[in-house]
Amino acid sequence: MKILVFQQIYSLIILGAEGVTLTLLHVNDIHSHFEEVNVNTGRCRGTEVDGCYGGMSRMMTFIREVRTSDPDTILLNAGDYYQGTIWYTLFKYKPVVQFSNLLNYTAMALGNHDWDDGLAGLQPFVNQVNFPVLASNIVSEDLKGVSNSTVVQVDGVKVGIIGYTLLGTPNMSNSDENVFFFDEIESVRAEARRLKDRGVNIIIATGHSGYTLDKKMASEVEELDLVVGGHSHTFLYTGHPPSTDKPEGPYPTYIEQENGRVVPVVQAYAYTKYIGLLTLKFDEYGELEYPLGFAAPILLDQSIKKDTWVEEQLKPWKIYLKPYTTPISYISNPLYREKNEESSMGNLVADSMAAAWPGANIALINDGGIRTGVEKGYVTGEDVYNVLPFNNTVDRIQLSGAQLKDVLEDAVIDFCPDQTCEPEHFYQVSGLKIFYDIRIKNLGRRIRKLEYKTLDGRFVPVQDELIYPVVTVSFLLQPGKSKMAEFTSTCKQGPLDYTVLTEYLKKNNPVNVKVEGRITIRYVQKR
């Protein structure tokens, strides 16, 4: 039904049109979700009342039907194909190459997690895919085959596609030291002007820096006609949403430049649950007409049949996953992963880390280290890897109370009182109660109250001069990843996070964890 509706809309637009009309599909933040997901983008168990969503086989079905209607359809991937499920933890880039080649993208931008295994993990992917990989703001003599942009032709008209990657990638991933990242907007602007000088009048930027930066780019780079983004996992929608996801803005988000031009910004959530679909009409001068002919993120639900051939391609990989499908514990209530606030999933993971080190009540883990939640019911090894796919060790360091406060202050340095920012850092905690005040001019002084849970269960104020054992993940102890990296001289290495959470789930079966007021954040917009 969804595909038929698109075909009808598309035919009406093309038949009466002058100039060129582009059909564009886009995805972002797939994070190795090759199989379908449940309504909350966790593992599909096959027992869901309303069925499951997305996955490579549904994507293939929808993409093939759209391309049948318009063979010149542009298909973009805005980055973060790597990391996020057991598929990447066990198989690394190999299934990413296979299934991305099956979908045959027009181009893909690099995301920060595509660097998680460094150049050694990224270069084979770039070498083996059948489409251009783009990043205009990266310079490296070591990285081969990544371009600033690519140019395709639609009905004889040149269309330029420019890629960009998050400037903060070195702090969030494992890019090599000889890879240099530059300002996204300045880099895209320079490449757009170069393309204009070559006679390319339609220019699309696709990249992985988040909704806020995408809107800024659309406002400031005069040469752009469209921005296709990723990284922030933003769900955009106009009208009543087709599922449980809450829109953070309209789809598309129209940004007006100072010269009066309007540049749409789009993003398609994450994990293959949606795929963005646009028709873009340009006049003879290469100017985009708006509102657009058709624009919506398409929910890949049960109405989109799975492609049987792609399903067959998935089967050999699934054989290797069987050892991780045995139930190991029971979850009494759904555990949700929330960003930039306390979450039930974060509480469980942090508690498991603290329990791994006798005598240490405090544990900290970054939001980005927790990739998904878990539904009520039996949990498997696959679920654990989907939550914690990075294979970090759970380590212990020693911090004074003053140092602990500095670490926690740094975690909210990017927060805005009006909540319009997209912070990159935040800690889920165990053994602490934190009260934050987020004001315009109180950076470094945002902790209003900080209490520590003693071994006998009491909460007492953290004392600056006392030394506290703190448990965290090895990623945060790498140089540049967090303030805790300054204190590795006291580090003792522990077991893998997968082992720690698995053992905790077994020992505490059934598991019942909720949000309980560990972290309170007050946003104050007054100066």
Side-chain angles (χ1 to χ4, degrees):
M1 177 61 72
K2 292 180 182 177
I3 295 172
L4 178 60
V5 169
F6 164 70
Q7 290 173 334
Q8 292 170 344
I9 293 172
Y10 180 80
S11 299
L12 290 172
I13 293 169
I14 293 297
L15 291 175
E18 295 179 358
V20 62
T21 298
L22 307 182
T23 306
L24 187 142
L25 293 167
H26 65 97
V27 293
N28 56 276
D29 297 279
I30 287 177
H31 287 293
S32 297
H33 284 72
F34 299 102
E35 299 181 82
E36 60 184 345
V37 298
N38 63 32
V39 69
N40 295 315
T41 66
R43 177 175 63 88
C44 177
R45 304 183 183 198
T47 58
E48 287 78 2
V49 175
D50 296 324
C52 289
Y53 306 82
M56 290 296 107
S57 57
R58 281 199 183 90
M59 284 181 62
M60 174 62 87
T61 296
F62 190 79
I63 290 167
R64 180 182 287 128
E65 291 294 336
V66 173
R67 281 174 167 160
T68 299
S69 297
D70 180 7
D72 290 327
T73 294
I74 292 172
L75 173 61
L76 301 180
N77 185 318
D80 269 9
Y81 224 141
Y82 282 17
Q83 204 65 269
T85 70
I86 192 173
W87 283 71
Y88 186 77
T89 306
L90 297 187
F91 307 134
K92 298 302 179 181
Y93 63 85
K94 293 179 181 178
V96 187
V97 169
Q98 178 181 346
F99 292 101
S100 61
N101 280 344
L102 292 181
L103 297 178
N104 192 21
Y105 292 96
T106 305
M108 171 184 161
L110 285 179
N112 55 291
H113 281 293
D114 300 323
W115 287 96
D116 276 0
D117 286 304
L119 191 61
L122 178 59
Q123 190 66 70
F125 169 80
V126 175
N127 292 345
Q128 295 177 42
V129 293
N130 58 11
F131 49 84
V133 179
L134 308 178
S136 63
N137 62 318
I138 293 178
V139 174
S140 173
E141 293 184 358
D142 297 332
L143 178 61
K144 309 297 183 183
V146 174
S147 305
N148 291 348
S149 65
T150 188
V151 177
V152 299
Q153 292 211 12
V154 178
D155 290 339
V157 177
K158 295 179 180 178
V159 179
I161 303 167
I162 305 171
Y164 58 94
T165 302
L166 184 70
L167 177 62
T169 292
N171 296 326
M172 302 177 66
S173 192
N174 295 311
S175 59
D176 295 44
E177 61 180 13
N178 292 326
V179 180
F180 303 98
F181 293 77
F182 297 91
D183 182 82
E184 300 99 316
I185 292 175
E186 291 303 316
S187 300
V188 169
R189 178 183 288 116
E191 184 65 11
R193 289 177 177 174
R194 188 185 73 84
L195 292 177
K196 285 285 188 182
D197 290 342
R198 290 177 50 198
V200 180
N201 289 326
I202 298 174
I203 299 181
I204 299 166
T206 184
H208 198 82
S209 293
Y211 183 50
T212 298
L213 185 133
D214 292 342
K215 290 186 289 184
K216 190 172 187 289
M217 180 180 291
S219 173
E220 296 182 7
V221 181
E222 295 182 355
E223 293 81 5
L224 292 182
D225 296 293
L226 174 69
V227 177
V228 178
H231 181 60
S232 52
H233 299 194
T234 305
F235 178 59
L236 303 175
Y237 203 81
T238 301
H240 184 71
S243 185
T244 57
D245 311 291
K246 297 180 181 179
E248 297 179 44
Y251 183 104
T253 300
Y254 290 112
I255 303 297
E256 185 172 355
Q257 299 180 338
E258 288 186 1
N259 59 15
R261 293 181 71 248
V262 173
V263 178
V265 173
V266 294
Q267 195 172 144
Y269 189 46
Y271 309 137
T272 75
K273 187 175 180 179
Y274 296 88
I275 185 168
L277 173 61
L278 302 162
T279 55
L280 306 160
K281 171 72 186 307
F282 294 86
D283 63 22
E284 63 270 30
Y285 305 105
E287 288 296 324
L288 177 64
E289 298 180 3
Y290 81 99
L292 304 185
F294 181 83
I298 305 300
L299 179 66
L300 299 181
D301 60 12
Q302 301 294 298
S303 68
I304 308 295
K305 293 182 179 181
K306 298 178 185 178
D307 183 273
T308 55
W309 182 70
V310 174
E311 285 292 303
E312 288 298 315
Q313 305 304 307
L314 292 167
K315 284 182 179 179
W317 299 99
K318 290 182 181 181
I319 292 173
Y320 293 98
L321 301 181
K322 283 187 177 180
Y324 302 94
T325 60
T326 303
I328 59 176
S329 186
Y330 186 83
I331 304 296
S332 300
N333 59 294
L335 301 179
Y336 297 111
R337 169 189 180 256
E338 305 289 349
K339 293 193 68 176
N340 306 318
E341 61 181 271
E342 180 187 349
S343 70
S344 52
M345 191 74 245
N347 287 350
L348 172 63
V349 173
D351 286 350
S352 73
M353 292 165 55
W357 285 91
N361 267 10
I362 301 174
L364 307 176
I365 181 170
N366 56 312
D367 266 350
I370 302 171
R371 301 311 300 177
T372 189
V374 177
E375 299 298 318
K376 177 181 177 180
Y378 288 101
V379 62
T380 67
E382 181 179 354
D383 291 315
V384 175
Y385 264 131
N386 289 351
V387 173
L388 299 173
F390 298 104
N391 270 335
N392 284 303
T393 55
V394 176
D395 302 340
R396 193 195 72 181
I397 60 174
Q398 302 279 356
L399 296 180
S400 70
Q403 291 167 339
L404 177 59
K405 289 176 183 177
D406 284 345
V407 166
L408 294 171
E409 285 282 1
D410 187 63
V412 294
I413 195 171
D414 293 330
F415 280 52
C416 297
D418 61 3
Q419 302 183 59
T420 59
C421 299
E422 293 174 0
E424 298 293 351
H425 307 286
F426 187 72
Y427 295 136
Q428 301 294 326
V429 306
S430 182
L432 294 173
K433 277 189 178 180
I434 314 169
F435 298 82
Y436 288 114
D437 256 353
I438 309 299
R439 300 173 184 263
I440 295 174
K441 292 186 176 181
N442 70 339
L443 289 179
R445 297 176 288 107
R446 289 179 161 177
I447 296 176
R448 184 163 56 89
K449 189 177 181 181
L450 178 61
E451 295 179 331
Y452 158 67
K453 187 177 183 180
T454 63
L455 294 178
D456 60 7
R458 295 178 296 113
F459 279 93
V460 298
V462 170
Q463 302 295 319
D464 286 354
E465 68 279 3
L466 293 183
I467 301 299
Y468 299 89
V470 176
V471 181
T472 190
V473 289
S474 53
F475 172 78
L476 293 174
L477 299 178
Q478 298 177 31
K481 307 306 183 187
S482 81
K483 267 192 170 292
M484 285 185 285
E486 300 172 13
F487 310 107
T488 53
S489 61
T490 66
C491 178
K492 289 189 176 181
Q493 190 177 78
L496 290 173
D497 52 7
Y498 174 84
T499 302
V500 165
L501 183 53
T502 299
E503 291 303 312
Y504 187 83
L505 289 167
K506 290 178 180 178
K507 290 178 182 178
N508 293 276
N509 186 23
V511 176
N512 187 351
V513 180
K514 298 179 181 179
V515 172
E516 56 188 34
R518 300 181 186 188
I519 305 169
T520 302
I521 306 175
R522 184 174 69 163
Y523 294 91
V524 183
Q525 296 193 44
K526 296 180 181 179
R527 291 183 178 273

